[in-house]
Amino acid sequence: MIGRLSGTLIAKQPPLLLLDVGGVGYEIEAPMSTFFKLPAVGTAVVLQTHLVVREDAHLLFGFATQIEKNLFREIIKISGIGPKLALAILSGIGVEDFWAAVRAAETGRLVKLPGIGKKTAERIVIELRDKAGAGGPGDLGMLTSSGVTIPASPLSEARAALESLGYKPPEAQKLTDAIHKEGMSTDQIIREALKRAVR
């Protein structure tokens, strides 16, 4: 199982990206939530990955954070939902918003996602409600590149994303601490931190 790849981003054309790892080019499919966090082509990047083996193909899926990967794996366990649809779900709704919808049994919110009908939305809620907790399996933490588990939160996710963009850990922490407010989503923290960085 290929669980993580670190290399140079060669190309990105949603939903595909090409990652050079030691001279080998890996074609990886990723959700838009990950594409938003990708650095420029030619830059080093670390992706959490999930390999799907089929009779006719080996498909590699990549994620900017362990939390996204965890949710992807939970979604594809549901009958009738394959990897492609799981990517569409992750592209259409944030991890926190997804779990909030599951906890509240908001099937109407899920139906708005591409490829999700009423029955599928109901199945998602039924099968994942017990795992939703305060924020889904992601609450167990995310893995840093050193393999150390840290609490999963929008703030820690934002810092990890900034580090993947090339910022050193102290810089990422300084930027996020300066703008972080309670209730901000990961994307909001990243956007505001990047605005501050280029001032």
Side-chain angles (χ1 to χ4, degrees):
M1 179 65 74
I2 302 172
R4 175 180 173 274
L5 286 175
S6 176
T8 303
L9 185 61
I10 301 302
K12 50 182 179 179
Q13 186 174 0
L16 280 175
L17 60 91
L18 185 64
L19 191 67
D20 184 309
V21 182
V24 178
Y26 288 87
E27 284 189 351
I28 303 168
E29 293 188 54
M32 289 312 301
S33 54
T34 289
F35 270 90
F36 170 72
K37 298 168 186 171
L38 288 176
V41 169
T43 307
V45 67
V46 177
L47 290 174
Q48 304 298 326
T49 58
H50 177 85
L51 178 65
V52 174
V53 179
R54 300 192 324 211
E55 287 185 11
D56 60 342
H58 286 199
L59 305 174
L60 196 58
F61 299 90
F63 310 92
T65 66
Q66 185 70 29
I67 295 174
E68 289 176 317
K69 177 179 170 180
N70 289 348
L71 178 54
F72 175 84
R73 286 180 162 177
E74 292 298 332
I75 292 174
I76 61 175
K77 289 177 185 175
I78 299 171
S79 175
I81 298 183
K84 301 282 188 181
L85 184 51
L87 278 192
I89 292 172
L90 282 170
S91 293
I93 189 170
V95 174
E96 293 173 10
D97 290 337
F98 175 87
W99 287 116
V102 171
R103 285 195 300 275
E106 294 179 355
T107 55
R109 195 172 180 186
L110 297 175
V111 167
K112 294 178 182 178
L113 298 171
I116 301 296
K118 186 178 179 181
K119 288 184 178 179
T120 303
E122 290 172 349
R123 194 158 60 244
I124 289 173
V125 168
I126 291 170
E127 295 196 28
L128 295 183
R129 184 181 289 164
D130 290 343
K131 298 180 181 180
D139 278 351
L140 298 176
M142 59 181 281
L143 289 176
T144 62
S145 56
S146 62
V148 178
T149 301
I150 59 175
S153 69
L155 185 59
S156 60
E157 272 202 282
R159 286 176 183 164
L162 288 172
E163 287 173 28
S164 75
L165 288 170
Y167 291 92
K168 294 179 181 177
E171 294 174 329
Q173 182 171 349
K174 185 177 179 181
L175 284 170
T176 53
D177 284 349
I179 54 88
H180 177 248
K181 294 178 183 176
E182 195 65 33
M184 289 180 75
S185 69
T186 300
D187 286 356
Q188 288 173 327
I189 297 172
I190 294 170
R191 289 179 195 277
E192 292 302 317
L194 289 175
K195 285 180 186 176
R196 189 179 185 88
V198 297
R199 281 179 186 169

